[in-house]
Amino acid sequence: MAKILVADDSITIRKVAERQLIEAGFEVALASNGEEALARLASEHPDLAIFDVIMPDKSGYDLCTYVRSQPSFADLPVLLISGIVDEQVTKQAESCRADGVLKKPLQGPVLKDQVMGLLAKRQSKPAAGEPAAQAAPPPAPKVFRITEDQLQLFRQASSRVKELEALLAQEQARSSELEDQLGRAGARVTELEGLVAARESGPAREREPGSATDLEARLEQERQRTELLVERLAEAERTSAAGAQRIEELSRTIAEIARLVGLHKIEGQESPPSD
């Protein structure tokens, strides 16, 4: 089983990444900052590392640069994650020789697919001393022409994706908060059940009917509160799943239109206007 190291100072991002990777069949090691990530690299020997670009002590770029400078980690795939992925972030990722950059919040199967692809690529690399297979030349691109309607759809989808990503991040934070509340409520229920059982099993002269009634009432309230938290958590997870699916659909639309735009640029280069 491949082991993935995830380093991010956000507990929400760590939990989301951990859940997605475990569901995909990976073992996960977590770090909350750069120094802890360095320690985990030495002790856990991961098969792939995921670093947040911005952390309090060491950035993801610093960690990636360190990994690339170590012979023992020379072929370790490194993914960077960032709340903003623009030209500057992309250039810095290329400068430190990262294998890719993912945008936060992490949604859908994007993280799993990237990790599985990089691990498969690592396994297919020839061993030292073996000649690498010569890659076949890429096929010539087909030429399409982008329409104004497609451009408008591209703009609308891009704007909607940004809105949905912000909402999804809020829902993921809400789910994390509800999980914490549910854990505390469960602990209170267990404590009150123990007090009620102890009072019921004690000698009759040591029982205090008023106090017992109060404990039972509090226990019932905590049980009801726990049931309500379970329902709210399930609702938040359903909302997050629906939002992630919608973002994935819009992202596919954007990617397709972006591809057509790129091909249109190729067409313009190949077919200059006649004199």
Side-chain angles (χ1 to χ4, degrees):
M1 180 186 297
K3 181 181 293 185
I4 314 300
L5 170 62
V6 179
D8 196 299
D9 58 331
S10 167
I11 187 173
T12 301
I13 295 298
R14 292 200 303 273
K15 283 189 174 183
V16 169
E18 181 182 32
R19 182 171 66 249
Q20 292 183 6
L21 293 170
I22 289 177
E23 288 176 355
F26 298 111
E27 185 178 351
V28 181
L30 301 176
S32 59
N33 55 56
E35 290 295 338
E36 189 175 350
L38 291 177
R40 291 285 189 181
L41 281 170
S43 62
E44 301 289 345
H45 303 289
D47 299 287
L48 183 144
I50 301 173
F51 300 139
D52 182 22
V53 164
I54 300 176
M55 287 188 285
D57 51 357
K58 294 183 183 298
S59 71
Y61 306 123
D62 295 333
L63 293 173
C64 185
T65 300
Y66 169 80
V67 166
R68 293 292 176 250
S69 69
Q70 303 299 307
S72 56
F73 297 131
D75 65 340
L76 179 69
V78 175
L79 273 177
L80 299 180
I81 52 178
S82 173
I84 299 175
V85 178
D86 55 15
E87 184 178 359
Q88 181 180 1
V89 171
T90 302
K91 285 183 177 179
Q92 287 184 274
E94 292 174 352
S95 177
C96 68
R97 295 162 55 200
D99 293 282
V101 186
L102 295 182
K103 190 177 187 301
K104 297 190 291 186
L106 304 172
Q107 70 244 347
V110 176
L111 176 62
K112 180 193 73 174
D113 292 346
Q114 284 277 358
V115 168
M116 293 181 70
L118 288 175
L119 290 175
K121 182 179 178 181
R122 184 190 191 192
Q123 292 174 355
S124 65
K125 286 184 179 180
E130 291 184 4
Q134 186 173 0
K142 296 180 180 179
V143 176
F144 297 94
R145 184 171 293 279
I146 195 73
T147 67
E148 185 60 33
D149 289 342
Q150 288 172 322
L151 283 174
Q152 183 63 22
L153 180 61
F154 176 82
R155 298 187 188 102
Q156 293 174 351
S158 298
S159 176
R160 184 55 179 158
V161 163
K162 292 179 181 178
E163 295 174 4
L164 288 172
E165 284 178 342
L167 291 174
L168 181 59
Q170 293 175 3
E171 286 299 326
Q172 289 173 337
R174 179 167 171 257
S175 295
S176 179
E177 181 181 353
L178 287 172
E179 287 176 355
D180 292 340
Q181 292 180 11
L182 185 59
R184 292 194 295 269
R188 287 195 295 269
V189 167
T190 300
E191 179 184 1
L192 288 170
E193 286 176 341
L195 291 173
V196 170
R199 191 173 293 276
E200 290 295 327
S201 63
R205 63 178 181 273
E206 293 182 5
R207 297 180 187 170
E208 298 179 15
S211 298
T213 302
D214 180 60
L215 283 173
E216 290 171 355
R218 287 170 57 194
L219 176 58
E220 182 60 28
Q221 289 176 353
E222 289 297 337
R223 284 173 173 166
Q224 293 176 359
R225 173 179 167 80
T226 301
E227 292 176 359
L228 178 61
L229 286 172
V230 169
E231 293 175 359
R232 290 173 61 190
L233 178 58
E235 179 184 356
E237 290 179 343
R238 285 194 297 270
T239 302
S240 294
Q245 182 178 2
R246 181 56 179 153
I247 288 175
E248 183 181 352
E249 293 171 355
L250 287 170
S251 296
R252 284 198 295 266
T253 300
I254 291 171
E256 176 61 18
I257 296 175
R259 184 182 69 84
L260 292 175
V261 171
L263 292 173
H264 176 57
K265 291 179 180 177
I266 293 173
E267 178 188 17
Q269 294 168 0
E270 293 179 347
S271 305
S274 57
D275 295 333

